[in-house]
Amino acid sequence: MATYNLSGYSTGPFILLGIPGLEEYHVWISVPFCFIYLVAIVGNSILLYLIVVEHGLHAPMFFFLSMLATTDLILSTTCVPKTLSIFWFGPQKISFPGCLTQLFFLHYSFVLDSAILLAMAFDRYVAICSPLRYITILTSKTLVKIGVGISFRSFCVFVPCVFLVNRLPFCKTHIIAHTYCEHIGVARLACADISINIWYGFCVPIMTVIIDVILIAVSYTLILRAVFRLPSRDARQKALGTCGSHVCVILMFYIPAFFSILAHRFGHNVPRTFHIMFANLYVIIPPALNPVVYGVKTKQIRDKIILLFSKGSH
């Protein structure tokens, strides 16, 4: 592996290597990555198109779903095109501003995804626990406020990390043994104390996400309590069915995320190849599966997709 030793501080371009130890398999790995990325792009684009053009989908649940689809597009597009270029053409340069931009949108999308899942849990709570007040509570004005609020919160949580990286002097290697720039990975290349980066980068975003998880758990505890009080079995099944797709998406998002974060921080015996491979799967698989899950498990969307493709076939 070549190294670039610089005599002075520099914010010149970084070199992204890809997945260390699997360089000879990069081209083969790119095939499923490219396919899954196309599924993510097409699936989320169809979802957004249907939500925009179909009046029957202009409801609070689908407003949050459109936010989730947009965030998933940002998350996957921030990382995957550069990753594919590394797989196809070898190690790639990325400018320092480009690296900061990539790490910001990567982590911003993660924190925003978590906030959107919390908003969707609140939507389901109101729909099941206070159905008669649903329309009066989740008005268009309230939805916009929630959307702006969670977007601004996610921005405020992670933008300090960009400034924490930007202030660091880089006077050693500019080689990043990864397929994209992430906060701690870049900070560790600096020739300065990065304690504040480690503490802020780990504590603040993770605590934010943990609070989201706790509030989601509280929402679903109240939802389940309300569901099992319903008099008829059909009503219980219908209520649980409306939450099924959301629960699947929550599990797909949080389980790999926390596994990756904990393995990255504490799994020192886990091979780096596994870390990086898992980190790449995380930014591509949930964005690809989310529209599939909602398309299969949400009747309104399933019906609109069938109608859309039946029109196209005539």
Side-chain angles (χ1 to χ4, degrees):
M1 184 190 297
T3 58
Y4 295 79
N5 292 316
L6 303 175
S7 57
Y9 296 160
S10 172
T11 53
F14 291 101
I15 310 293
L16 293 166
L17 290 184
I19 305 175
L22 296 180
E23 289 87 354
E24 60 185 299
Y25 303 108
H26 275 176
V27 172
W28 296 105
I29 295 169
S30 73
V31 175
F33 265 73
C34 187
F35 174 75
I36 297 168
Y37 178 58
L38 289 174
V39 170
I41 294 296
V42 172
N44 285 292
S45 297
I46 289 173
L47 207 54
L48 284 170
Y49 171 76
L50 288 173
I51 291 169
V52 169
V53 302
E54 296 290 346
H55 185 73
L57 299 181
H58 292 177
M61 181 176 81
F62 300 109
F63 170 78
F64 294 128
L65 183 54
S66 69
M67 285 190 69
L68 185 69
T70 303
T71 308
D72 281 345
L73 285 172
I74 293 169
L75 176 62
S76 56
T77 303
T78 294
C79 301
V80 179
K82 194 71 176 180
T83 298
L84 289 174
S85 70
I86 295 166
F87 289 163
W88 291 333
F89 307 114
Q92 296 288 304
K93 287 184 179 181
I94 184 168
S95 67
F96 184 66
C99 193
L100 289 179
T101 302
Q102 190 180 56
L103 72 85
F104 170 75
F105 279 107
L106 167 69
H107 297 293
Y108 170 77
S109 300
F110 170 74
V111 177
L112 182 55
D113 258 345
S114 179
I116 293 167
L117 291 176
L118 173 58
M120 294 173 84
F122 175 68
D123 168 80
R124 292 300 82 205
Y125 165 75
V126 176
I128 291 171
C129 297
S130 301
L132 299 178
R133 298 175 59 208
Y134 183 74
I135 296 173
T136 56
I137 292 173
L138 290 173
T139 62
S140 298
K141 198 172 180 179
T142 303
L143 291 178
V144 171
K145 285 180 180 178
I146 292 173
V148 172
I150 61 177
S151 300
F152 184 67
R153 187 201 73 161
S154 304
F155 178 85
C156 291
V157 164
F158 199 77
V159 78
C161 291
V162 176
F163 292 102
L164 289 173
V165 173
N166 190 52
R167 73 185 176 87
L168 293 173
F170 294 92
C171 54
K172 297 183 288 187
T173 178
H174 276 207
I175 298 288
I176 300 176
H178 209 310
T179 56
Y180 54 77
C181 295
E182 58 93 19
H183 175 220
I184 300 300
V186 175
R188 282 180 176 151
L189 299 179
C191 47
D193 179 31
I194 62 165
S195 299
I196 189 171
N197 292 74
I198 292 171
W199 282 107
Y200 186 91
F202 182 65
C203 294
V204 178
I206 298 308
M207 287 307 297
T208 304
V209 172
I210 286 173
I211 290 169
D212 291 346
V213 171
I214 291 169
L215 292 174
I216 289 170
V218 170
S219 295
Y220 271 91
T221 301
L222 296 172
I223 286 169
L224 287 173
R225 193 173 70 174
V227 166
F228 288 113
R229 283 178 177 172
L230 293 173
S232 72
R233 185 179 174 183
D234 288 343
R236 288 196 295 270
Q237 287 181 338
K238 185 178 179 181
L240 290 172
T242 63
C243 299
S245 52
H246 186 220
V247 171
C248 288
V249 169
I250 287 170
L251 294 175
M252 286 191 306
F253 177 79
Y254 285 114
I255 291 175
F258 281 114
F259 178 82
S260 181
I261 290 164
L262 293 173
H264 185 68
R265 304 296 181 195
F266 307 112
H268 302 299
N269 296 325
V270 180
R272 185 196 286 181
T273 300
F274 176 81
H275 278 302
I276 296 171
M277 191 68 176
F278 195 87
N280 276 280
L281 291 174
Y282 175 70
V283 300
I284 193 172
I285 288 181
L289 289 181
N290 287 351
V292 175
V293 168
Y294 277 106
V296 170
K297 294 188 72 67
T298 307
K299 186 178 185 301
Q300 298 101 310
I301 293 176
R302 188 169 65 243
D303 292 345
K304 299 298 182 184
I305 289 173
I306 292 168
L307 187 63
L308 178 68
F309 283 101
S310 63
K311 282 181 181 176
S313 61
H314 292 304

